[in-house]
Amino acid sequence: MTKDSVLAELLKAGGCVSGEEISGGLGVSRAAVNAAVQALRADGYEISASTRTGYELLRSPDRICAGELAARLGAERMESVVCLDSVDSTNDRAKLLAQSGAPDGTAVAANGQTAGRGRMGRRFQSPDGEGVYLSMLLRPEIPPEDAAQLTAWTSVAMCRAVERTCGVRPGIKWVNDLVLNRRKLGGILTELTVEGESRQIGSIVVGVGINVNQTAFSLELAPIAASLSTETGASVSRCALTAEMIRALDGIRASFPAQKDDYLRAYRENCVTLGREISFTRRGETLFGFAEDIDDDFGLVVRRPDGSRETLRSGETSVRGLYGYV
Ligand code: BTN
């Protein structure tokens, strides 16, 4: 606890800060500050110490940690942010927290997942230290049918968070994939519980995984996956990205559903499925079409080879030109 608070103070100072100032600000002893600095150094933080000028944080390891998130998001927001080194799945942890009454906006961020889940029961590879794995619990008072839109809203919010952090804007492969240079950068898994009798939403958990530092992928993913590092060559702070992702999800909490037009416009602008040939399956049959539009409920309007149109509301599509599909 003190370690996180001392880190937050060092980050806030943005330069030299005396041990006295830190201990006074946090209401802890000088010895506790000193012990926290030693512990931070053991975690890989480079901190200089001088009797004249105090402590200075010189370099941070690329870890998502509560102290650094606190410096970026503020102590109040951190009251409902859980930051973990490793977890089975941040979505599963957020669902457990939901069951024990955690409030709207509770976020779970992890450095790695041992059982990360994707859509359709797939695994989401979540190597430690290489991606951002984040889930947020939402408790909106909306009918269950409106909740389907949240995945699309989250796609837009995540494109904005990535752009704010590292200057590149991903595209969206309908409905929930983030794409960079025709490869998959990340994905979104939205899970909701609905009370059977009242048909009211109990909770919604929105989970996002973004590949950040991976330089190589498994054989299966190599042809289709991208990371911010492989595509931009830049080194991206996963903590900075996590903070932006939390802010962007908080933006949805503040504006859903009133600002639908804004999210819809951004979704259409960013959707890389549009204007391409696609295939999709229905009842075991593979069907083909041309992705023409996103309708007002974020459905994908497809023109079939016979000229008829239909709107897809969910499910998987393969998109010609993306993920190696030629
Ligand atoms: C997909 O591409 O099919 C969706 C991937 C969603 C992965 C994220 S990582 C954080 C959260 N926890 C999980 O177990 N899954 C989501």
Side-chain angles (χ1 to χ4, degrees):
M1 192 61 188
T2 313
K3 193 169 80 171
D4 288 331
S5 317
V6 169
L7 177 58
E9 292 301 311
L10 290 169
L11 283 158
K12 259 196 284 173
C16 293
V17 54
S18 72
E20 203 175 336
E21 256 179 88
I22 300 179
S23 68
L26 297 177
V28 297
S29 68
R30 290 286 301 276
V33 173
N34 190 41
V37 167
Q38 300 305 335
L40 287 166
R41 284 182 177 146
D43 287 349
Y45 291 87
E46 214 180 298
I47 301 166
S48 67
S50 131
T51 39
R52 204 169 45 81
T53 53
Y55 296 109
E56 184 176 7
L57 177 63
L58 302 174
R59 204 166 25 233
S60 304
D62 181 37
R63 291 303 286 175
I64 303 168
C65 66
E68 198 172 335
L69 283 179
R72 296 175 184 279
L73 295 170
E76 200 184 317
R77 181 67 186 89
M78 287 305 288
E79 281 169 19
S80 52
V81 176
V82 177
C83 187
L84 302 163
D85 263 335
S86 177
V87 68
D88 47 2
S89 151
T90 55
N91 265 35
D92 290 349
R93 182 61 66 92
K95 284 198 268 184
L96 277 178
L97 292 170
Q99 280 163 20
S100 50
D104 177 58
T106 299
V108 181
N111 280 286
Q113 295 182 123
T114 53
R117 292 183 293 107
R119 292 170 88 216
M120 316 276 178
R122 292 192 203 109
R123 245 187 96 211
F124 185 79
Q125 292 187 9
S126 315
D128 181 86
E130 303 206 340
V132 172
Y133 316 109
L134 173 73
S135 300
M136 192 178 281
L137 166 64
L138 309 174
R139 295 188 184 278
E141 287 178 12
I142 54 169
E145 48 277 17
D146 287 359
Q149 286 181 30
L150 275 168
T151 301
W153 281 58
T154 302
S155 306
V156 170
M158 293 305 106
C159 288
R160 290 175 173 164
V162 169
E163 188 176 29
R164 279 184 205 124
T165 311
C166 51
V168 291
R169 186 153 183 125
I172 301 166
K173 175 179 171 288
W174 185 87
V175 58
N176 71 323
D177 277 3
L178 303 182
V179 176
L180 208 52
N181 297 338
R182 302 173 177 223
R183 289 165 185 257
K184 176 161 171 162
L185 181 70
I188 295 158
L189 176 67
T190 307
E191 299 180 294
L192 85 161
T193 57
V194 179
E195 283 174 20
E197 276 153 28
S198 63
R199 295 240 333 118
Q200 274 186 345
I201 290 178
S203 65
I204 298 178
V205 170
V206 180
V208 187
I210 297 186
N211 302 328
V212 179
N213 285 329
Q214 288 92 335
T215 49
F217 289 94
S218 63
L219 271 182
E220 164 208 3
L221 288 185
I224 61 163
S227 72
L228 287 170
S229 162
T230 57
E231 301 313 298
T232 68
S235 97
V236 176
S237 154
R238 289 182 309 124
C239 218
L241 178 58
T242 306
E244 281 306 332
M245 289 162 68
I246 291 175
R247 281 201 191 100
L249 290 169
D250 284 346
I252 293 183
R253 288 166 54 225
S255 56
F256 188 87
Q259 281 173 32
K260 182 176 174 185
D261 287 352
D262 169 39
Y263 282 82
L264 195 52
R265 190 177 350 94
Y267 194 93
R268 287 178 175 135
E269 277 169 18
N270 278 251
C271 183
V272 290
T273 304
L274 290 179
R276 293 180 189 269
E277 288 171 39
I278 68 158
S279 69
F280 56 101
T281 48
R282 184 176 310 127
R283 291 186 281 278
E285 194 189 354
T286 302
L287 303 171
F288 296 89
F290 180 81
E292 265 193 355
D293 199 4
I294 298 293
D295 80 359
D296 289 353
D297 294 314
F298 297 91
L300 182 66
V301 181
V302 179
R303 190 178 72 233
R304 302 292 314 281
D306 65 3
S308 64
R309 282 181 178 74
E310 64 181 280
T311 303
L312 308 185
R313 299 268 159 228
S314 60
E316 289 287 286
T317 56
S318 293
V319 181
R320 193 179 287 270
L322 301 185
Y323 301 1
Y325 173 44
V326 282

